[in-house]
Amino acid sequence: MSGRGARAVVAAILGSLAACSSPPLQPPQQPPSREATPAPVARPAPASAEPRAASRWTAVDWQALPGWGGDDLLAAWPALRAGCQRPAPGWAEFCARVALQPPSDAMELTLLLMKHLRPWQLAADDGSTTGLLTGYFEPLLQATRTRQGAFQWPLHALPADPALRRLPRRDIDGHPRFEALALAFVDDPFALLQLQVQGSGRLLVRDASGAERLSRVAWAGHNDQPFQSVARALLDRGEVADATPRTLSDWARRNPAQVRDALAVNPRVVYFREEALPDASIGPRGAQGVPLTPGRSVAVDRSIVPLGTPLWLDSTEPWSPGAAPTPMRRLVMAQDTGSAITGAVRADFFWGWGEEAALRAGRTRQPLRLWALLPQGLTP
């Protein structure tokens, strides 16, 4: 088919789909606390698992995908290409096409997907097709190599001793064997706690001369202790009016003598490894082992959705006061996992890094519908 003919076919398809558009899902009334749904990024992938019974896959036509044809699919191409670096079983042929045929425009990519893939709607075991979308991001923290001034809060490397590794937070603070494991020191204990919840981040490290260097710290493991929300404990005691990062950091500055006891409510500690960051535009590696793409990578329950699977996401933009829900319908890639990301219709949306990403991630608690796009002939 000629390029002109292909465009005519796509135009006809998109025209028919436009008539099938549906109203946006209704968002909840309040934004969540990020600590309520921790989703560490850049974890080593767990052992592969078969899709479990607590999900239902239903093959559907492309017309069933709300907003299909309205997304800028070329924006998803980097994530799709990255995912094909480590293809799941059954994806080798399609990924070979991706490697050989970079699309010249969104129409060509639309045709490629529709010719070689088939959409399957995901549902919970009870048949519900509506689930939950949350968000995460990569924090940036100021740091120093030595403990000095306000920089009193250490990030630790993973201890080699299993017994040492499992100590709860309260026993780690001030432990002499952890002094040699400090990668850097930050000046905000709640920013450090947020970094541990997110599982990965960036450090702007200032050395003795005052020069600054940007690096990345990635998830290396944790101490096998249960996660408890420090913010929730402070809210319940009336210590803070809300759980925003600014409020928590302000509370820590006003109550320095109470900070360690407050943090000890959460015995879970995440350990890190430091990596060079030669290109600040590259995202952290997710559980699939490829860099995450802001706005196009999501964390999923990999016992149900294999990593590397393209997904069509139907949700709404993050909550904002007084705003009507705005549809967010786009192609994303399942490229990460998280401890709170469980279930078939459940995803954690990677917003990227920086203040805007942090704001959006903190506000994301949206209704969600998901469709997995699988190669023709491949069944869940």
Side-chain angles (χ1 to χ4, degrees):
M1 181 181 295
S2 68
R4 180 178 298 177
R7 285 167 174 76
V9 170
V10 173
I13 293 172
L14 299 187
S16 66
L17 292 175
C20 300
S21 61
S22 58
L25 299 170
Q26 295 298 311
Q29 295 302 308
Q30 297 294 333
S33 164
R34 184 66 185 93
E35 287 190 59
T37 53
V41 57
R43 301 180 176 207
S48 60
E50 295 296 323
R52 65 189 190 188
S55 63
R56 294 181 179 179
W57 300 66
T58 303
V60 299
D61 293 330
W62 289 97
Q63 290 89 340
L65 276 58
W68 179 257
D71 183 27
D72 178 12
L73 291 184
L74 281 184
W77 178 252
L80 180 62
R81 184 176 55 194
C84 274
Q85 293 175 9
R86 297 192 174 187
W91 282 89
E93 181 179 348
F94 177 80
C95 285
R97 294 180 184 276
V98 167
L100 293 174
Q101 292 181 278
S104 58
D105 54 33
M107 288 185 177
E108 186 175 341
L109 180 52
T110 301
L111 278 179
L112 176 69
L113 297 177
M114 296 181 71
K115 180 178 180 181
H116 298 288
L117 303 182
R118 183 179 188 182
W120 296 73
Q121 185 165 20
L122 293 167
D125 194 43
D126 63 2
S128 172
T129 58
T130 300
L132 176 66
L133 180 72
T134 50
Y136 67 122
F137 73 107
E138 190 178 30
L140 173 63
L141 284 73
Q142 303 282 337
T144 59
R145 290 299 180 191
T146 59
R147 182 181 267 118
Q148 55 184 279
F151 292 86
Q152 296 291 319
W153 305 95
L155 291 75
H156 290 115
L158 182 70
D161 182 346
L164 195 65
R165 184 186 311 164
R166 289 192 291 269
L167 289 178
R169 183 182 300 273
R170 185 181 294 276
D171 294 340
I172 289 174
D173 288 342
H175 194 293
R177 292 183 63 186
F178 275 88
E179 292 180 6
L181 295 172
L183 299 172
F185 297 84
V186 301
D187 61 348
D188 185 340
F190 281 96
L192 175 57
L193 191 63
Q194 184 182 62
L195 174 67
Q196 294 186 347
V197 169
Q198 299 298 323
S200 174
R202 301 179 180 207
L203 297 181
L204 188 60
V205 183
R206 184 183 311 136
D207 62 24
S209 69
E212 294 182 329
R213 182 175 65 86
L214 191 64
S215 67
R216 170 174 282 138
V217 285
W219 192 92
H222 61 67
N223 60 348
D224 296 325
Q225 299 291 330
F227 173 86
Q228 299 293 332
S229 174
V230 176
R232 171 51 54 191
L234 291 174
L235 284 167
D236 290 346
R237 296 202 304 262
E239 299 276 355
V240 295
D242 59 67
T244 62
R246 183 185 298 275
T247 297
L248 296 173
S249 296
D250 287 345
W251 179 88
R253 282 191 289 270
R254 295 194 311 270
N255 302 276
Q258 301 178 44
V259 171
R260 292 191 186 278
D261 284 341
L263 296 181
V265 166
N266 179 25
R268 169 75 63 89
V269 170
V270 170
Y271 302 113
F272 296 96
R273 65 177 184 275
E274 190 168 5
E275 302 173 349
L277 186 58
D279 186 347
S281 68
I282 301 298
R285 291 185 181 274
Q288 193 190 3
V290 301
L292 303 179
T293 302
R296 296 292 174 171
S297 295
V298 296
V300 297
D301 184 342
R302 67 164 297 170
S303 70
I304 298 174
V305 180
L307 295 179
T309 302
L311 301 168
W312 183 254
L313 176 151
D314 176 29
S315 186
T316 54
E317 294 286 348
W319 173 91
S320 58
T326 301
M328 184 169 72
R329 294 160 173 166
R330 64 177 66 183
L331 184 68
V332 296
M333 292 291 295
Q335 294 178 324
D336 204 8
T337 59
S339 60
I341 312 307
T342 58
V345 195
R346 180 74 173 91
D348 210 22
F349 190 91
F350 180 63
W351 285 103
W353 45 88
E355 292 184 7
E356 183 65 21
L359 180 64
R360 287 177 175 267
R363 289 179 172 177
T364 303
R365 190 178 182 84
Q366 314 299 110
L368 172 69
R369 291 187 292 174
L370 279 178
W371 289 259
L373 310 185
L374 300 183
Q376 295 281 1
L378 182 65
T379 56

